[in-house]
Amino acid sequence: MVSVFEEVKHLKHIPRKRFGQNFLNSPGVIRKIVQAIGPKPDDLMVEIGPGLAALTEPLMEAVKHLHVVEIDRDLIAGLKERFSPDKLTIHEGDALEFDFSQLIQTPERKLRVAGNLPYNISSPLLFHLAEYADQVQDMHFMLQKEVVDRMAADPGSGEFGRLSVMLQYRYWIERLFIVPPGAFTPPPKVDSAIVRLIPKTPDQMQVCDVALLGKVVTAAFGQRRKMLRKNLKDIADESLLESVGIAPTARAEEVPVEAWVRLINALSARH
Ligand code: SAM
């Protein structure tokens, strides 16, 4: 059998930029990622973008059955040739439109999601997956390091922004390790990182209107150097901000997720 690395090296498959194809070529990095995921035989695991199966193969060795979602027809043909449907179910199509809940059979067996994600769709994909968060056990992704830094940022740092609030509202987020460009074929221009997302349980999360949260943080971070009393002047007056513990003179990047949630719930209660 031709190995993944040979297929890439000899460019049997020409990587497609439009599908964000940077294939992992480093056995050491692949091992480390699979170790971080920690697959178990009975896991209900789905990999997004299997590509040439660099992660797929070791994942399949660890779990009884694996699901993958892939958009590129040429790659799907290769996967079908190499792997039996007994071990691997290939869902052909766009992960952005994929209904992940169809994989769930019993509520106790939640989904484990993994993937070296196509960078061009990483944010929309994270938001799409957030819709299924209550059916998910955990997610491990390779993303651009800069995106992971924003996802995991603490309030008060320059990286804390809309993406941090919207994802930290729903998940515990941990940056695990950095992966350099040389681990991929072709090498991307920037560093990548592995991130772990674990959905918060209902008791860990104060529920709020997510659509309103999105609207408010977009306004708040619109001009991030400005004080909130300016950026939010059409949404919340100073006394409302103070009543939920947000200083009207604060900047959006200083306000932690819990305070945003208090603000949204106060706004919702008004209507
Ligand atoms: N997992 C492989 C690896 O680590 O070497 C490939 C990773 S590559 C960065 C991204 C993969 O996602 C490619 O196989 C690409 O074809 C696939 N892909 C791109 N856009 C997609 C989409 N919208 N839905 C599903 N798969 C997609």
Side-chain angles (χ1 to χ4, degrees), residues 212-213 216 232 234-237 240-241 244 260-271:
L212 187 59
L213 178 68
V216 172
L232 295 183
D234 299 330
I235 296 173
D237 54 37
L240 183 69
L241 290 175
V244 296
W260 288 116
V261 172
R262 285 197 300 272
L263 175 61
I264 299 310
N265 287 334
L267 283 168
S268 302
R270 276 186 162 189
H271 296 295

Side-chain angles (χ1 to χ4, degrees), residues 96 118-128 143 147 150 163:
L96 285 174
Y119 295 158
N120 46 350
I121 59 160
S122 56
S123 289
L125 195 52
L126 290 168
F127 285 110
H128 177 59
L143 291 162
V147 175
R150 285 197 281 128
L163 190 69

Side-chain angles (χ1 to χ4, degrees), residues 133-146:
D134 57 343
Q135 300 166 67
V136 165
Q137 181 182 322
D138 58 19
M139 311 201 282
H140 291 83
F141 295 129
M142 172 102 72
L143 291 162
Q144 285 183 7
K145 175 184 167 292
E146 177 256 321

Side-chain angles (χ1 to χ4, degrees), residues 4 8 13 16 18-25 30 33 47-56 69-72 75 91 93-97 115-121 125 142 184-185:
V4 174
V8 180
H13 173 83
R16 295 198 165 96
R18 79 190 142 102
F19 290 146
Q21 291 177 353
N22 300 95
F23 298 105
L24 275 166
N25 64 24
I30 292 167
I33 296 171
E47 185 196 358
I48 299 172
L52 294 165
L55 293 170
T56 318
V69 185
E70 175 59 64
I71 202 169
D72 185 326
L75 293 175
H91 302 272
D94 188 342
L96 285 174
E97 284 165 20
N116 170 13
L117 295 189
Y119 295 158
N120 46 350
I121 59 160
L125 195 52
M142 172 102 72
F184 303 86
T185 304

Side-chain angles (χ1 to χ4, degrees), residues 80-97:
K80 281 187 174 161
E81 235 170 67
R82 288 169 61 193
F83 304 113
S84 143
D86 291 345
K87 280 295 286 179
L88 184 73
T89 302
I90 304 171
H91 302 272
E92 311 185 16
D94 188 342
L96 285 174
E97 284 165 20

